[in-house]
Amino acid sequence: MEVFIQDWKSYEGWSQLTKQPGAEGARKSVILSLLVDHALFFHPDQHAQLTHNLPAYTVGSLRAHVQVECLVDVVENLVSSDAPQEQLHRFTQALHQVFAFSHSTKHMIQRQLGRLESTPSLKYRADEVMRNLPALST
């Protein structure tokens, strides 16, 4: 269980990538993560480890290995294509579309702040705090 939790925290944090926030989105991200884990259980390298009674690979290392394999396949296809410059240009454009800049929702630039006056309850609490402050001795 500890290994599962460590892998979840380190490598399988799909919650940031889910497009459906809330309980439904969280449930779907867990299901997706578990499906990926299950598929990686049958990865040829993992299967060889388990067949020979050797320690299993971590999910994170298997995911990284699969990502490297995919990158190598893309580079091989680019190099061996008839028009490598054109293929590289198309690939670069596709990458820029997938990894486009996102606007931050944490900054307050160009946001309507609403009313900024203090509320009656805030005024009441401020008065309470000021009444209960000990006198400052000089």
Side-chain angles (χ1 to χ4, degrees), residues 48-94:
Q49 288 291 106
L50 298 174
T51 302
H52 295 98
N53 291 328
L54 296 171
Y57 294 127
T58 63
V59 171
S61 65
L62 283 169
R63 282 186 61 227
H65 185 76
V66 168
Q67 289 171 339
V68 168
E69 286 177 343
C70 291
L71 180 61
V72 169
D73 285 345
V74 167
V75 171
E76 283 179 355
N77 287 337
L78 284 174
V79 171
S80 64
S81 72
D82 294 334
Q85 291 286 349
E86 180 186 334
Q87 289 289 84
L88 178 63
H89 182 69
R90 288 180 51 215
F91 178 67
T92 304
Q93 284 182 332

Side-chain angles (χ1 to χ4, degrees), residues 4 26 41 56 59 75-76 81 87 95 98 106 116-117 131 137-138:
F4 173 79
F41 185 71
V59 171
V75 171
E76 283 179 355
S81 72
Q87 289 289 84
L95 281 178
V98 170
K106 295 179 183 178
L116 298 176
E117 314 80 52
R131 270 195 301 264
S137 60
T138 57

Side-chain angles (χ1 to χ4, degrees), residues 8 15 18 20-34:
W8 174 261
S15 59
T18 186
Q20 299 168 331
E24 182 70 17
R27 185 169 42 253
K28 287 186 177 184
S29 64
V30 170
I31 291 170
L32 176 62
S33 173
L34 292 174

